[in-house]
Amino acid sequence: MKSPFLVIKKPVVTEKSMANQQKSVYTFIVAPESTKPEVKSAVEKAFNVKVEEVRTVKVKGKYKRMKNQLLQGKRKDWKKAYVTLKEGFRLDII
């Protein structure tokens, strides 16, 4: 079993993710090879909470222009996990 901090990279801090925290849904950037059961156990161990559901999304990296718009590069692909906590549990991420 992997360490929780190898699975969970960092929380996503956007307006939409902060609004979802009112509904006990927290968003994390996770390792691309991690599975839903790994994410669930990592959040439960790291934050001492009970997880009800985990949904994952693979996000494709965007193409970006660099150096006076002559070169084009690509950002990395990454994985995002929406974690729903059971009733009565909260996280203080920020």
Side-chain angles (χ1 to χ4, degrees):
M1 188 53 113
K2 295 182 185 176
S3 169
F5 300 106
L6 292 177
V7 176
I8 301 170
K9 300 295 183 187
K10 62 182 179 178
V12 176
V13 183
T14 60
E15 288 184 33
K16 186 175 180 180
S17 67
M18 291 299 164
N20 282 340
Q21 287 182 7
Q22 303 299 323
K23 302 176 213 166
S24 294
V25 178
Y26 295 87
T27 310
F28 297 98
I29 295 175
V30 296
E33 67 278 355
S34 62
T35 61
K36 289 181 183 184
E38 286 178 345
V39 172
K40 180 178 179 177
S41 65
V43 170
E44 287 178 346
K45 286 180 185 177
F47 299 107
N48 198 20
V49 294
K50 295 289 182 182
V51 175
E52 183 175 327
E53 179 186 22
V54 175
R55 293 174 288 144
T56 58
V57 178
K58 287 187 177 180
V59 180
K60 295 204 176 197
K62 295 181 178 180
Y63 286 97
K64 292 296 201 177
R65 294 185 182 226
M66 300 179 287
K67 287 206 176 185
N68 298 335
Q69 314 240 345
L70 297 176
L71 299 174
Q72 189 174 18
K74 183 178 180 286
R75 290 188 178 169
K76 289 183 179 181
D77 298 342
W78 52 286
K79 192 170 189 177
K80 178 169 41 173
Y82 295 101
V83 178
T84 305
L85 300 182
K86 289 192 177 180
E87 197 74 28
F89 289 99
R90 290 189 51 95
L91 289 179
D92 291 327
I93 294 177
I94 295 187

